[in-house]
Amino acid sequence: MKTSSLTGAPTIPVLICALAIFLLSAMDVAMKVLVLAVGVYNTVLWRSMLAALVAGAGWSAGPRTLPTIPVLGLHALRAVIVGIVILCFFWGLARLPLAEAIGLSFIAPLFALFLAALLLGERIRRQAIWASMAGLAGVAIIMAGQFGRASYSQDAVLGTASVLVSTVFYAYNLVLARQQALLAKPIEIMFFQNLAIAVILGLAAPWLAVALPANLWLPLAGVTALSLVGQFLMSWSYARAEAQYLIPTEYSAFIWAVALGWLIFEEAVTWTTLAGACLIIAGCLIAMRANPRLAEPIEATI
């Protein structure tokens, strides 16, 4: 494996991970466009159906075995959790600047540290406490920036709350993902996760679903492709390099959120968002030392 002569870090996996984060950041932009056009429910429903078809074709084409009932149950449980994460995150994203939503989402790994202690019996280390304090201070600064604006809206407050709810469920998702990875291959996980989300959301289709306008099918296909390719490249990177090298790279999502939010939506970034996001990222880097397996940002899943 090729490594950097200066740091010893695996160069190719780091670059591939950085590319994955860029693709997933571009997916966030496209998802925001779709959510603003047809709402979060229809966007997630149609994306999950299309992703299930693509991932299902990949799963069917390779060597496979049908998952057992307990594994299917785990797939279904994680699909419910991921579905809540996606709905809450993208509902909030439609009401917040891109950089602010991504910055707030980074606090998820800090919740995961405490859930791992609660559910898996892992010891809460001193680093986790310091990390949480830094992360919560970052969230407080971002929210203070919102309330300090002369023109802050109730939508922005509700969007912030929705993103924070998504991070709590995403933290639980991280714990489930560790269990799932021991029992199934990535392509199987992607297929059954998207299929289960599509089925669950489809139960409300008679009341909530609308036909996607013809001009939005191409953006939807782009969103699905960016999501699947980004997840695949990230999985490839994590299979070939330690988390300590890759996790710092993943926080480049905030840089892309700032750039793409300004370019596509003309969103200005406040100093409180920058300061808060830096504190949250610092907290997550501290958390990585406590438990690298639970320090992945939200971009890795959605």
Side-chain angles (χ1 to χ4, degrees):
M1 181 183 298
K2 183 179 178 182
T3 60
S4 166
S5 58
L6 294 178
T7 65
T11 303
I12 293 178
V14 167
L15 292 175
I16 294 298
C17 188
L19 174 61
I21 290 300
F22 170 73
L23 295 178
L24 292 170
S25 298
M27 179 206 70
D28 287 339
V29 173
M31 281 291 288
K32 182 166 183 173
V33 171
L34 288 169
V35 169
L36 291 172
V38 296
V40 65
Y41 170 82
N42 284 284
T43 300
V44 176
L45 172 67
W46 289 109
R47 191 191 82 162
S48 298
M49 292 176 64
L50 188 55
L53 287 174
V54 175
W59 179 71
S60 300
R64 66 192 183 281
T65 56
L66 289 175
T68 62
I69 296 299
V71 174
L72 279 175
L74 184 58
H75 289 330
L77 174 60
R78 189 171 176 225
V80 170
I81 300 302
V82 170
I84 294 172
V85 171
I86 293 174
L87 289 172
C88 289
F89 179 76
F90 287 114
W91 190 89
L93 181 63
R95 289 158 177 79
L96 293 175
L98 192 62
E100 195 167 302
I102 296 299
L104 287 169
S105 74
F106 285 155
I107 201 172
L110 305 181
F111 289 131
L113 289 173
F114 290 92
L115 282 177
L118 180 65
L119 300 176
L120 304 179
E122 296 186 2
R123 182 169 61 90
I124 298 177
R125 301 180 183 179
R126 183 176 301 176
Q127 296 101 311
I129 296 174
W130 285 109
S132 298
M133 291 176 63
L136 291 174
V139 171
I141 289 173
I142 291 175
M143 293 186 69
Q146 281 187 358
F147 288 109
R149 297 172 195 163
S151 59
Y152 83 89
S153 65
Q154 183 180 4
D155 257 8
V157 176
L158 292 176
T160 298
S162 186
V163 170
L164 290 176
V165 168
S166 78
T167 65
V168 175
F169 280 95
Y170 181 72
Y172 181 40
N173 160 72
L174 283 175
V175 176
L176 289 177
R178 307 305 166 187
Q179 302 172 5
Q180 199 177 26
L182 298 175
L183 301 173
K185 295 181 179 179
I187 188 65
E188 177 185 318
I189 293 172
M190 293 168 67
F191 169 51
F192 283 98
Q193 179 174 297
N194 283 291
L195 178 63
I197 292 174
V199 170
I200 293 168
L201 293 180
L203 296 176
W207 299 275
L208 300 178
V210 298
L212 202 65
N215 65 318
L216 293 182
W217 277 105
L218 185 58
L220 180 71
V223 161
T224 305
L226 289 169
S227 175
L228 293 175
V229 174
Q231 289 179 41
F232 174 80
L233 292 178
M234 188 167 289
S235 298
W236 185 93
S237 300
Y238 272 89
R240 289 161 177 80
E242 296 178 9
Q244 62 176 315
Y245 298 121
L246 299 177
I247 288 171
T249 305
E250 293 185 27
Y251 291 105
S252 63
F254 183 73
I255 299 173
W256 292 121
V258 170
L260 294 172
W262 174 78
L263 184 65
I264 306 298
F265 302 107
E266 298 182 351
E267 296 172 344
V269 180
T270 64
W271 72 267
T272 53
T273 298
L274 290 171
C278 287
L279 272 174
I280 294 171
I281 291 171
C284 290
L285 293 177
I286 296 170
M288 182 181 68
R289 297 175 63 87
N291 192 336
R293 297 173 305 126
L294 294 173
E296 298 173 15
I298 202 168
E299 291 290 323
T301 294
I302 61 178

